Amino acid sequence: MSALTRPRRNLGGLAVPPLALGSWNTWDRMDPADAVTMIRRAVELDAGFFDVAYYNMGPHAENARTDILFGTALRESGVARDDVVLCGKLWLWDWPNQGFRAQLADSLERAGLERFDTLVVGDYLDEPDIPRVVADVNELIDEGLVGGWGINNWRIGHTRAALDSAASMGLVGPTFAQLKYGIARRSMAEGASYAPLFADGTLALQASDVFEGGILATGLAPQRKIGADVGGIRDRILALYPRVAHVAAEFGVTPAALGIAFCLTNPAIANVLFGASRLSQLEQNHAALALSAAHGAELRTALAGLQADVDVRDDGAW
């Protein structure tokens, strides 16, 4: 078990580590032995929350093996199942043609798992049948294949509709929102649309895309595929990197750790999801915990003028 350096926060009834490791373009870029070491060290460093997704549909029709590689590394690590939190993912791109039950069964089999602690229902292009989404996810909960669920970058109207549908049917609604959030992108996570749901505890917030595909960690635009550029502001974000690096140096951390620490200062945050394909990245990012705890207010003041999406709508309807 890890030595706790920060009190656990609630994510849909789960007491989760503050740091969470993503799977997109991570485990498939690592040596198998390094992946095993990464998992063991993650549990020690308050990062024993793992996103486990099968990238096989829509914009992510990559047939990646990252989930298979993670499952193998987890078994070889010897880490106890109760010492980690595992989060699966369901895709709406071809749903309901590819139903949730089949998707989840495939994902669990590929990773060699029996169940997920929670899962995220992914983003979409066309408006989904919200009551059916809620009902289909609840069938998985009833089967014991997953403990709860959250949404990924949904429009606020659909998130509220899911909450209302669940309440009216006596079912489990979404308990967290995985949103793009970081130093430069704050509109959706901090804006008026989602804020009331975070403030009253209806939803917890899980930050993703914190580094904008690596831009705010390195100052470089990656050549590999990265997340969508909502609002078309990526050039603005790239231009912010020198100032981010300057603030990071003043606090004695890497720009990546600074970005994570910024997210952790938000009271709505349950944890921060980021990609790490080297052990050194994970260990450097761990400094975010101490930084946010000791200098949270100073940190937000130092980064106050670096929001790049002030003119982007906060309700997800882009």
Side-chain angles (χ1 to χ4, degrees), residues 185 212 215 221 229 231-241 308:
R185 285 193 193 271
E212 196 72 18
I215 289 173
D229 180 15
I233 60 170
R234 192 151 282 154
D235 287 345
R236 296 185 211 169
I237 293 175
L238 184 58
L240 291 176
Y241 177 76

Side-chain angles (χ1 to χ4, degrees), residues 54-65:
Y54 177 24
Y55 298 98
N56 70 328
M57 197 180 299
H60 300 308
E62 303 159 10
N63 291 314
R65 299 184 67 251

Side-chain angles (χ1 to χ4, degrees), residues 37-50:
T37 302
M38 178 79 85
I39 290 171
R40 291 173 179 158
R41 190 67 174 136
V43 173
E44 296 171 350
L45 294 181
D46 279 348
F49 182 110
F50 299 97

Side-chain angles (χ1 to χ4, degrees), residues 118-246:
T118 190
L119 60 77
V120 174
V121 179
D123 48 8
Y124 50 86
L125 294 176
D126 300 321
E127 181 172 349
D129 180 343
I130 299 296
R132 182 170 177 181
V133 168
V134 173
D136 285 4
V137 172
N138 273 262
E139 287 182 6
L140 305 176
I141 294 173
D142 291 343
E143 286 187 56
L145 296 175
V146 65
W149 66 292
I151 58 88
N152 171 240
N153 296 320
W154 280 22
R155 298 177 183 94
I156 186 61
H158 296 151
T159 300
R160 287 190 173 277
L163 292 165
D164 292 343
S165 293
S168 67
M169 294 187 286
L171 299 176
V172 177
T175 54
F176 68 98
Q178 183 188 98
L179 303 180
K180 287 177 177 288
Y181 182 48
I183 292 170
R185 285 193 193 271
R186 312 183 193 182
S187 178
M188 197 168 177
E190 294 187 359
S193 293
Y194 268 95
L197 296 177
F198 295 142
D200 68 11
T202 300
L203 297 177
L205 171 61
Q206 183 182 66
S208 70
D209 294 286
V210 176
F211 309 143
E212 196 72 18
I215 289 173
L216 289 179
T218 65
L220 303 174
Q223 298 306 304
R224 62 180 173 83
K225 185 166 77 171
I226 60 176
D229 180 15
V230 178
I233 60 170
R234 192 151 282 154
D235 287 345
R236 296 185 211 169
I237 293 175
L238 184 58
L240 291 176
Y241 177 76
R243 294 167 65 189
V244 170
H246 177 74

Side-chain angles (χ1 to χ4, degrees), residues 78-99:
V79 168
R81 177 63 179 83
D82 289 345
D83 286 350
V84 297
V85 179
L86 301 182
C87 180
K89 198 148 198 173
L90 298 175
W91 303 106
L92 286 168
W93 305 113
D94 193 34
W95 175 87
N97 294 326
Q98 292 192 46

